[in-house]
Amino acid sequence: MSRTVFKGDTEYFPGIGQIQFEGPESDNPLAFKAYDRERRVAGKTMEEHLRFAVCYWHNFCATGADPFGPGTRDQAWARSSDPVQMARKRMDAAFEFCTKLNVPFWCFHDFDMAWEGASIDESDANIQTMVDLANERQAETGMKLLWGTANLFSNPRYMNGASTNPSFDVVAYAASQVKAALDATVALGGQNYVFWGGREGYAYLQNTDTRRELQHLAMFLDKAREYGRSIGFEGTFLIEPKPMEPMYHQYDFDAQTVIGFLRHHGLDGDFKLNVEANHATLAGHTFAHDLQMGADAGLLGSIDANMGNPQNGWDTDQFPSSIYDTVHAMMVVLKMGGIGSGGLNFDAKVRRESTDLSDMFIAHIGGMDCFARGLIIADRILADQRSSDLRDGRYASFDSGDGKRFENGELSLTDLRDIAVATGEPELVSGKQELYENLINDYIVRGAS
Ligand code: XUL
Ligand code: CO
């Protein structure tokens, strides 16, 4: 279903209509070359597979400021000294942008959608005002909420963490924000709720009781789950791993760390992972690695789609432009049977130097086409018998006989020794990595038409 383009009092992206699919031969920078919403791939439309979302913070709040200089973007919706007016304009700009791009979903933090008041009650009222407006906008346009979250990292009170803060007062304050953000997410029909533990970690080990902080984190998540379920939230809670930045060391380091934590604390029935590409690479993994760890555990819930810069280790949050990476990502997603109620949220920002309003469209179109190509190519690779033979064939010795008995736990260490003695030196079997790499490149070069 197509979204109705939102028309407010002001048009914030004049001269740009709803983005259309024009195909691979088009040279129109404001058209999709590969993302054809209704095209069916592996039994579903592209829109159903990819479930794209636009994020509020990088597009409608950030200005392009960096530690060395101020913002570079001239955004008409940000020209107001009154926070109420500004929040309303921002929401109009967001719904105009999302519906012109024709993505099905959006995502927000409490205080990028609304603004923080002088007290908790005031903040809650501000959020309520914006939730009411967002509900109207969703009804008018057909947009849906992929997830909501609370910003528990920007306010100075969270400098030592939110739920892992050494001060109980801060933990309680963080809870007030999560409660309001959960209420907002439910009111907007959000399908997921995200926890990114930005400052849940530490800067210095000797002044930190890591054991206690991790217990507090688990307790906090448990209470959020309890509250969410009590108000009728039926969606998935998501933890977004990231190893560092802003903290020196963050607790939700990577997919495997979070999986172990969730299982240890009995949270894995309600919580899954929101894997972000640039966070996986910051942890020293590939994007596909963290996706695979999540998928193997049955805990891959959603994706923050972006990419880092290979020349440095920062979280540069660039738009995905590597087809090689999206092919590998979509192979994981297709093999696990789809992303479920999650989606692909572009947690990405245009470069500080990209100052035209149209650059936001161009960036999203590029990211969407990149994942659409990844989807089509991944589906073709998986349909090629050689790709499964290459992998499954390597484990064939476990499919029957003693290998199968080992998998079933029927062989002791002594049994294994006896088998080794009888068999002698194992044969060397090639891993065929280069053959697999060539196969993938062959499909990438053939394109996604
Ligand atoms: C920060 C980040 C966040 C989360 C939501 O690196 O990725 O924007 O996605 O808090
Ligand atoms: Co993110």
Side-chain angles (χ1 to χ4, degrees):
M1 224 194 33
S2 195
R3 259 59 44 186
T4 309
V5 171
F6 173 72
K7 285 195 180 66
D9 299 338
T10 310
E11 191 177 20
Y12 291 104
F13 301 94
I16 299 178
Q18 196 168 45
I19 307 298
Q20 305 295 322
F21 169 74
E22 291 185 5
E25 304 308 325
S26 167
D27 55 13
N28 176 2
L30 292 172
F32 296 116
K33 317 296 183 303
Y35 180 64
D36 182 3
R37 286 181 319 111
E38 300 296 337
R39 174 170 168 186
R40 295 186 82 79
V41 181
K44 282 195 287 195
T45 65
M46 283 194 164
E47 184 170 290
E48 289 164 342
H49 270 289
L50 297 165
R51 296 170 60 81
F52 287 125
V54 164
C55 80
Y56 221 87
W57 49 103
H58 284 313
N59 294 298
F60 311 107
C61 303
T63 59
D66 74 8
F68 305 96
T72 54
R73 281 173 224 153
D74 184 23
Q75 301 157 320
W77 59 87
R79 281 188 225 126
S80 178
S81 50
D82 171 24
V84 192
Q85 283 313 313
M86 179 113 110
R88 294 182 75 92
K89 287 180 175 189
R90 208 171 243 160
M91 185 157 286
D92 283 358
F95 277 83
E96 183 190 327
F97 180 80
C98 292
T99 53
K100 283 186 168 173
L101 192 62
N102 208 355
V103 288
F105 296 105
W106 62 294
C107 299
F108 72 86
H109 291 85
D110 47 1
F111 298 136
D112 44 50
M113 176 177 71
W115 65 104
E116 194 156 7
S119 68
I120 291 171
D121 283 340
E122 238 183 79
S123 292
D124 286 2
N126 296 344
I127 293 172
Q128 191 54 53
T129 303
M130 295 315 293
V131 165
D132 291 344
L133 189 61
N135 250 328
E136 276 176 41
R137 299 283 181 262
Q138 288 194 154
E140 285 164 62
T141 60
M143 288 289 303
K144 293 194 166 76
L145 178 66
L146 184 65
W147 50 260
T149 189
N151 179 331
L152 303 177
F153 43 89
S154 294
N155 193 296
R157 80 174 74 87
Y158 297 122
M159 66 181 185
N160 291 307
S163 67
T164 63
N165 198 291
S167 157
F168 169 69
D169 293 349
V170 179
V171 176
Y173 210 103
S176 78
Q177 254 187 268
V178 170
K179 180 180 177 298
L182 272 165
D183 288 338
T185 301
V186 170
L188 291 167
Q191 304 196 6
N192 305 273
Y193 182 86
V194 164
F195 289 89
W196 168 57
R199 296 195 197 265
E200 312 293 25
Y202 62 87
Y204 182 55
L205 187 57
Q206 302 313 320
N207 69 2
T208 307
D209 187 337
T210 50
R211 191 185 60 84
R212 223 164 165 185
E213 289 196 359
L214 280 160
Q215 279 170 351
H216 295 170
L217 175 61
M219 180 65 75
F220 189 93
L221 294 175
D222 186 49
K223 296 303 171 194
R225 155 174 78 172
E226 187 182 274
Y227 178 73
R229 295 305 181 213
S230 80
I231 58 164
F233 176 63
E234 290 173 0
T236 310
F237 294 95
L238 298 167
I239 308 271
E240 185 175 319
K242 186 176 181 183
M244 65 194 87
E245 206 195 290
M247 296 311 261
Y248 154 72
H249 189 108
Q250 278 162 219
Y251 293 130
D252 297 329
F253 192 89
D254 63 357
Q256 281 186 288
T257 308
V258 174
I259 291 164
F261 177 86
L262 291 176
R263 286 178 170 164
H264 180 70
H265 293 284
L267 294 165
D268 50 324
D270 299 83
F271 285 76
K272 289 185 174 176
L273 306 182
N274 183 36
V275 169
E276 178 163 324
N278 204 169
H279 295 179
T281 53
L282 204 52
H285 304 307
T286 60
F287 178 28
H289 169 88
D290 261 24
L291 293 174
Q292 187 68 57
M293 293 302 109
D296 288 349
L299 292 176
L300 176 57
S302 202
I303 293 174
D304 267 10
N306 61 14
M307 67 179 222
N309 181 327
Q311 272 73 47
N312 62 37
W314 312 327
D315 191 17
T316 56
D317 284 340
Q318 290 169 230
F319 277 85
S321 64
S322 161
I323 294 179
Y324 199 74
D325 286 347
T326 58
V327 166
H328 284 81
M330 291 315 295
M331 282 171 72
V332 179
V333 172
L334 285 174
K335 269 192 282 184
M336 80 169 208
I339 197 68
S341 64
L344 291 173
N345 167 47
F346 288 109
D347 195 351
K349 57 188 176 208
V350 291
R351 298 303 85 195
R352 185 169 190 264
E353 305 79 11
S354 300
T355 49
D356 292 343
L357 276 175
S358 61
D359 290 330
M360 271 169 65
F361 279 95
I362 292 170
H364 281 86
I365 290 167
M368 291 163 78
D369 274 344
C370 196
F371 268 96
R373 290 182 168 120
L375 168 68
I376 296 165
I377 294 167
D379 177 50
R380 290 183 185 153
I381 294 169
L382 294 177
D384 185 326
Q385 191 62 35
R386 288 174 298 168
S387 77
S388 43
D389 288 353
L390 270 169
R391 191 195 55 194
D392 299 346
R394 298 183 71 211
Y395 301 89
S397 59
F398 292 96
D399 291 343
S400 60
D402 287 337
K404 186 82 210 154
R405 292 176 64 211
F406 167 77
E407 279 195 348
N408 292 341
E410 293 162 17
L411 297 178
S412 69
L413 201 65
T414 312
D415 294 334
L416 293 170
R417 182 186 187 277
D418 293 344
I419 291 167
V421 169
T423 313
E425 185 59 35
E427 235 183 278
L428 291 185
V429 182
S430 171
K432 308 304 282 180
Q433 178 174 331
E434 297 79 1
L435 185 63
Y436 213 127
E437 287 168 346
N438 294 355
L439 179 82
I440 290 177
N441 274 356
D442 288 345
Y443 275 100
I444 291 177
V445 167
R446 275 173 216 157
S449 300

